[in-house]
Amino acid sequence: MTAIKESSTRNENKEMSINACPVSYVMNKIGGHWKPIILYQLMSGPKRYNELRRAIPTITEKMLIQHLKQLQADDLVTRTAEPVVPPFVTYALSSVGESLTPVMEAIANWGFAQTGR
Amino acid sequence: MTAIKESSTRNENKEMSINACPVSYVMNKIGGHWKPIILYQLMSGPKRYNELRRAIPTITEKMLIQHLKQLQADDLVTRTAEPVVPPFVTYALSSVGESLTPVMEAIANWGFAQTGR
DNA sequence: ACAAGTACTTACCCTAAAGTATGTATCCAT
DNA sequence: ATGGATACATACTTTAGGGTAAGTACTTGT
């Protein structure tokens, strides 16, 4: 999973920031290119893997699972796989993920206010 | 200012996301490594260039001015230079920047709730 | 027999963002 | 005249994140 060189200045700074700035901490969980988009999709309800793919046409499969895994590791989304063939895997917001909803909405609303609609 | 290769898949995806996902739009303004930290510092009042440096010891000068310029271009912060020698330059949140305060606080509070304080 | 759908995995490459290092101009204090 | 403080600028390198492409395993439909 794209191994991390554990002692670049870059990562040290990241660690520091996460501890020093509460906003920075949150950005590491919901920031980046794809995570907010995935979370935004899941806010409208649980979705299957391929539903997410189709909902976000420009995302690659690699990025989708990579971030879904990260979001699971951060306890923001849950994965439920029904043991059938063909596979039936559903992703949903965890309770922690749900608690993000008002925050995400606050962010989105500011965006709407800025862009006019 | 680090010229942008205007037609990589990367940038096309970025453009698309900004239009499709309101959260993504906001992330482009306040996301990234340093911007939230700088904004968080300015939320406690205007600061001089070197005050910011000292408040964020791990940031390099390059990153600091680069992001300050970007934040100015996005109308989130203002720069006021008194024409004296030695220079006296103050950075502050613009009115738009101020309007971000509740959003940033919502984010920070969620972070605090998650980390326990 | 073969394509299509499910949900991934893996190897390799490219680039934007961040880091390193050094330079600029002006003034004041020692 | 040398060093420190102010607020930057600019060339050069590194790396983490993202993109490309192809493969896996199992089943249903034609």
Side-chain angles (χ1 to χ4, degrees):
Chain A
M1 208 193 249
T2 48
I4 1 103
K5 202 170 192 179
E6 73 295 304
S7 197
S8 54
T9 315
R10 211 123 151 201
N11 266 299
E12 282 163 21
N13 278 355
K14 204 168 181 178
E15 292 294 318
M16 297 232 57
S17 305
I18 287 169
N19 295 332
C21 178
V23 182
S24 200
Y25 164 84
V26 180
M27 288 303 175
N28 259 273
K29 299 223 151 185
I30 66 168
H33 210 60
W34 296 113
K35 279 195 236 163
I37 302 172
I38 296 170
L39 289 170
Y40 199 70
Q41 287 298 325
L42 290 178
M43 276 170 60
S44 55
K47 298 225 169 11
R48 294 184 62 177
Y49 176 80
N50 270 7
E51 281 187 280
L52 283 172
R53 280 208 60 196
R54 280 186 285 264
I56 313 167
T58 50
I59 202 171
T60 61
E61 302 199 66
K62 185 197 168 196
M63 283 298 106
L64 185 51
I65 29 123
Q66 191 173 102
H67 285 113
L68 282 172
K69 282 188 175 177
Q70 189 60 58
L71 291 167
Q72 283 175 75
D74 287 342
D75 287 315
L76 293 177
V77 315
T78 58
R79 191 193 102 114
T80 29
E82 260 132 273
V84 292
V85 161
F88 193 99
V89 178
T90 312
Y91 290 92
L93 292 180
S94 69
S95 54
V96 179
E98 294 278 4
S99 76
L100 254 175
T101 307
V103 176
M104 297 277 284
E105 269 166 6
I107 297 172
N109 285 338
W110 185 85
F112 285 135
Q114 250 28 64
T115 54
R117 173 160 323 240
Chain B
M1 207 193 249
T2 51
I4 1 102
K5 201 170 193 179
E6 72 295 303
S7 197
S8 56
T9 316
R10 211 126 154 199
N11 265 299
E12 283 163 19
N13 278 355
K14 204 168 181 176
E15 291 296 317
M16 297 231 58
S17 305
I18 287 169
N19 294 332
C21 177
V23 183
S24 200
Y25 164 83
V26 180
M27 288 301 174
N28 260 276
K29 298 223 152 184
I30 66 166
H33 211 60
W34 295 112
K35 280 194 235 162
I37 301 173
I38 296 170
L39 289 170
Y40 199 71
Q41 286 298 325
L42 290 178
M43 275 170 60
S44 55
K47 296 223 170 11
R48 294 182 64 176
Y49 175 79
N50 269 6
E51 282 187 281
L52 284 172
R53 278 208 64 195
R54 282 187 285 264
I56 314 170
T58 51
I59 202 170
T60 61
E61 301 199 67
K62 186 197 168 195
M63 285 298 105
L64 184 52
I65 31 123
Q66 191 173 104
H67 286 112
L68 282 172
K69 281 188 176 176
Q70 189 60 57
L71 291 167
Q72 282 175 77
D74 287 342
D75 287 314
L76 293 176
V77 314
T78 58
R79 191 193 101 115
T80 29
E82 260 132 273
V84 292
V85 159
F88 194 99
V89 178
T90 313
Y91 291 93
L93 292 180
S94 70
S95 54
V96 180
E98 294 279 3
S99 76
L100 254 174
T101 307
V103 177
M104 297 276 284
E105 269 166 4
I107 297 173
N109 286 338
W110 185 86
F112 285 135
Q114 251 26 66
T115 53
R117 176 152 320 236

